[in-house]
Amino acid sequence: MSSSSFDSTKLHPITKTLLEKRGVVGDQEIEDFLFPSYEKHIGDPFGIHGMVQAVDRITNAIRSGEKIAVYSDYDCDGVPGGVLLREFFDTIGYPVEMYIPHRHNEGYGIHTHAVDALKKKGVTLIITVDLAITNIEEIAYAKSVGVDFIVSDHHLPIHDEDGVQVVPEAVAVINSKQDVCTYHDDMLCGCAVAWKIACGVLSRLRTDISLGAVHETAKNLPVGYEKWMLDLVGISTISDMVPLVKENRALAHYGIRVLQKTKRPGLLHIFNEQRMKKEYLTEEDIAFTIAPRVNAASRMGDPIQAHMMLYEKDREAAEGYARDLELLNTQRKAEVKDIVSGIVFSHDVYKNDVVVVGDMSWGPGILGLIAQKIIDETGKPVFVWGQGDDKTSVKGSCRSRGDVHVVDLMAHVGHDVFSHWGGHEQAGGFSVLVENIDKLSDALNASIGKIEKKDIASQTVVADIDLSMDDINEVTYKALAPFAPFGVGNPKPVFSFSNVTPLSTKRFGKKNEHLEIVYPTTGGGKVKAIQFFVSDATEEKAQSPHTLLANLEKSYFGFKVELRLRIVDIQ
């Protein structure tokens, strides 16, 4: 849609109101938001600092026949990013080695033993995905043994004592969070950064005749081939919860469109088993169906299983990987539930201001999930510890609602208890020597009263617009549709329905853990509202007149199309 033909006065009143509440005003800004454009909103990869050097080094490696490796993280950002680069090199006829560190056996980041293993295979250039910006020593080691690195990452660089950013001595560092980088969006996910490299390399290959057969292959790829890699970028952009504004909004938008046409047999198997139609896939399907299964591989098994589910083209083999991930995800949910239930019913751990729980049998891949479950239950800061790298230390994960800055809290306790700590305001990680673990709870609870806290009591859900049940129709849904995809920085609109009385309420799900409410319209129609994992108290509130806060959504579950409300709160 061109700006010359766009007229915001013709938008539905609900659309205009929501745009105003989000601070999106003026025809051009509104058009840019509602209609993301590939050409306009996705930037030139060479606008990222270091891209020229990265492309030079990769094309020189291809020209001289060097062996290249891709080294990706093990989560649902790094795994799709690793698949993306591997597939890209396959497509241009230059296959690469693949390396993904094992979450339990190796841990996050670059490891010198991995560099040694790749060097023994003849690798002289390693491209990272979603990691390595803080691996200063490991990349210096690689350089000393003749292995070059191109660091592709989106995490924050570290700083020295003078506050100066320090990055690895790599051939190139592609990370727009560097102070020296002026790229227009510094919030791309790791997979998107890897895609930028692929785009940059492809543009060079198409014009550099000295690259021989690889040049011919690249030149003959269809115009716009790089857009077909965006399914993986879309998965990672949604899964890694980067803000869905600026370029990320366009990447998520086009990524979902490509994903709706996917031919990846592993994903098709998952969609079929979950009774999903790929043509109607949304950001929620990525967040709640694809991402947990990809992440289950590193949490409960081996990340290569998730990599192969996305990468494998043979249907039978890909479906095998998809089934493996389903089993791991089921195992992950059961293990977390069992642990949390055991904590709830057998330990009096919730009385303290900071909840601290742990066991040496708990794997590091599920600690964050346990912490989140406990904070949902208590609202208190939670520190969960489990298996460490060896028998002398434990690893941990922590969460807070935002009232307590967990990194500040750990810093106040300091090295008297913690060996290492890091993270951000609401989530972090730590390690503690075994002999100090008994001090952890007392130290945290002694320190929490000495740090500044935020008042989040006022951060209640506020509705965007007041509606009636008569407004729940296709016209209203179409007024909301251009706001998708929703996520961080672009939340789903919340609507308020005042003084409503349901026709019926009922439980559903395998264990009746979900709630369905049916409301009447003035014309004799009905509107369904649902909420997952509700308490008995919520159901009781729903049976009397109340104010309902809800999102409007369209469900395609079980191949049945249904317009309904998703309950946010009952007041």
Side-chain angles (χ1 to χ4, degrees):
M1 182 178 291
S2 65
S3 50
S4 59
S5 64
F6 181 74
D7 182 1
S8 63
T9 62
K10 296 179 180 179
L11 294 172
H12 191 283
I14 288 178
T15 308
K16 289 192 284 188
T17 299
L18 290 173
L19 287 167
E20 289 171 5
K21 283 181 172 287
R22 289 162 194 246
V24 182
V25 294
D27 279 7
Q28 188 60 64
E29 189 177 355
I30 291 171
E31 181 184 8
D32 286 346
F33 181 85
L34 295 180
F35 307 103
S37 163
Y38 184 93
E39 290 73 18
K40 185 175 181 181
H41 300 128
I42 295 180
D44 180 357
F46 289 99
I48 300 178
H49 179 79
M51 188 63 74
V52 171
Q53 291 82 357
V55 171
D56 285 347
R57 182 65 184 89
I58 292 168
T59 51
N60 285 338
I62 293 171
R63 188 179 295 108
S64 57
E66 294 179 59
K67 186 170 280 191
I68 300 172
V70 171
Y71 190 125
S72 85
D73 190 21
Y74 44 63
D75 68 0
C76 200
D77 187 7
V79 167
V83 173
L84 186 151
L85 283 185
R86 184 179 181 184
E87 286 184 341
F88 169 69
F89 281 103
D90 286 349
T91 300
I92 64 173
Y94 203 86
V96 296
E97 291 286 334
M98 192 71 223
Y99 195 94
I100 311 175
H102 194 285
R103 182 194 286 262
H104 304 326
N105 301 338
E106 298 174 278
Y108 176 79
I110 302 297
H111 306 284
T112 55
H113 68 262
V115 174
D116 291 338
L118 291 170
K119 179 177 170 60
K120 284 184 179 179
K121 291 184 176 183
V123 169
T124 53
L125 174 62
I126 299 174
I127 306 169
T128 76
V129 180
D130 193 33
L131 48 71
I133 193 65
T134 61
N135 288 122
I136 311 296
E137 295 178 2
E138 292 82 1
I139 291 176
Y141 169 79
K143 185 177 181 180
S144 74
V145 297
V147 177
D148 284 345
F149 263 86
I150 292 171
V151 171
S152 157
D153 200 353
H154 73 129
H155 294 98
L156 283 168
I158 60 176
H159 293 76
D160 65 17
E161 294 178 353
D162 297 321
V164 177
Q165 278 189 350
V166 180
V167 299
E169 290 188 56
V171 172
V173 177
I174 312 300
N175 183 340
S176 50
K177 287 187 174 69
Q178 293 180 89
D179 291 338
V180 294
C181 188
T182 58
Y183 193 67
H184 73 106
D185 193 342
D186 65 354
M187 294 302 291
L188 302 183
C189 70
C191 181
V193 177
W195 178 70
K196 291 291 185 181
I197 292 177
C199 292
V201 172
L202 181 59
S203 68
R204 178 75 62 83
L205 297 182
R206 281 174 163 156
T207 59
D208 191 339
I209 60 174
S210 70
L211 292 162
V214 173
H215 159 69
E216 290 297 327
T217 300
K219 188 177 69 171
N220 292 324
L221 287 174
V223 174
Y225 158 79
E226 54 270 32
K227 295 179 183 179
W228 290 102
M229 296 186 271
L230 285 176
D231 60 339
L232 296 166
V233 178
I235 290 173
S236 293
T237 299
I238 299 296
S239 301
D240 216 47
M241 299 180 69
V242 292
L244 296 186
V245 296
K246 299 183 182 179
E247 184 164 346
N248 280 332
R249 178 164 169 80
L251 290 172
H253 172 82
Y254 286 101
I256 290 173
R257 285 177 59 177
V258 176
L259 201 53
Q260 290 170 340
K261 302 175 182 178
T262 189
K263 295 180 180 178
R264 297 182 187 276
L267 288 178
L268 292 177
H269 178 80
I270 291 173
F271 297 160
N272 185 59
E273 289 295 305
Q274 297 301 310
R275 301 173 69 193
M276 295 161 50
K277 290 193 74 171
K278 68 176 184 178
E279 294 84 357
Y280 301 121
L281 183 131
T282 69
E283 68 278 1
E284 283 203 342
D285 296 315
I286 295 173
F288 296 107
T289 301
I290 298 175
R293 286 161 176 79
V294 171
N295 283 326
S298 65
R299 294 185 191 280
M300 309 300 296
D302 192 315
I304 198 65
Q305 295 168 283
H307 177 95
M308 293 305 296
M309 185 277 291
L310 292 170
Y311 174 79
E312 181 61 67
K313 304 301 183 290
D314 178 79
R315 184 174 66 85
E316 187 174 342
E319 289 181 354
Y321 287 115
R323 283 190 291 270
D324 290 344
L325 296 187
E326 184 64 36
L327 290 172
L328 291 173
N329 192 47
T330 301
Q331 179 187 346
R332 183 267 306 172
K333 289 191 287 186
E335 188 169 333
V336 171
K337 184 177 181 180
D338 287 347
I339 290 172
V340 173
S341 296
I343 295 167
V344 171
F345 297 119
S346 65
H347 296 288
D348 186 19
V349 297
Y350 291 166
K351 63 182 180 181
N352 294 325
D353 293 330
V354 182
V355 178
V356 179
V357 294
D359 192 285
M360 289 295 282
S361 67
W362 298 352
I366 61 171
L367 300 179
L369 303 176
I370 296 169
Q372 191 59 53
K373 290 284 187 182
I374 295 174
I375 201 171
D376 290 343
E377 178 95 11
T378 67
K380 295 181 178 182
V382 180
F383 284 69
V384 182
W385 56 267
Q387 297 169 9
D389 294 327
D390 51 45
K391 294 182 179 180
T392 66
S393 66
V394 301
K395 280 189 173 182
S397 185
C398 51
R399 298 286 187 274
S400 112
R401 293 184 303 163
D403 52 340
V404 174
H405 196 305
V406 292
V407 176
D408 287 351
L409 179 56
M410 289 188 285
H412 195 277
V413 172
H415 288 290
D416 288 345
V417 174
F418 292 108
S419 303
H420 301 285
W421 68 86
H424 52 84
E425 188 171 18
Q426 293 182 237
F430 60 88
S431 61
V432 177
L433 291 175
V434 169
E435 61 260 32
N436 288 333
I437 198 64
D438 290 339
K439 304 176 186 176
L440 183 58
S441 180
D442 289 343
L444 288 167
N445 280 284
S447 294
I448 193 169
K450 301 174 184 176
I451 65 168
E452 184 179 354
K453 302 180 189 66
K454 285 186 179 179
D455 178 12
I456 62 170
S458 60
Q459 296 179 13
T460 54
V461 179
V462 177
D464 292 290
I465 301 176
D466 295 329
L467 295 181
S468 74
M469 290 299 167
D470 295 337
D471 295 314
I472 305 308
N473 51 46
E474 286 291 335
V475 173
T476 301
Y477 181 76
K478 288 179 180 178
L480 304 181
F483 286 85
F486 299 105
V488 176
N490 182 38
K492 280 190 171 185
V494 177
F495 301 106
S496 175
F497 304 85
S498 300
N499 195 30
V500 290
T501 304
L503 291 172
S504 65
T505 65
K506 72 174 184 179
R507 293 279 192 159
F508 69 98
K510 291 181 180 179
K511 298 182 179 179
N512 288 324
E513 64 268 55
H514 314 313
L515 178 65
E516 175 189 295
I517 308 175
V518 177
Y519 296 95
T521 66
T522 56
K526 297 178 181 179
V527 176
K528 181 189 291 187
I530 67 160
Q531 185 173 14
F532 297 118
F533 304 105
V534 297
S535 65
D536 292 338
T538 299
E539 184 178 10
E540 288 175 13
K541 280 199 295 183
Q543 291 168 350
S544 304
H546 56 264
T547 294
L548 175 72
L549 298 179
N551 312 125
L552 177 59
E553 65 181 19
K554 187 172 282 189
S555 168
Y556 298 93
F557 177 74
F559 311 117
K560 175 186 175 184
V561 182
E562 180 181 54
L563 194 65
R564 68 188 186 191
L565 296 172
R566 176 74 71 87
I567 299 168
V568 175
D569 195 15
I570 294 173
Q571 298 177 348

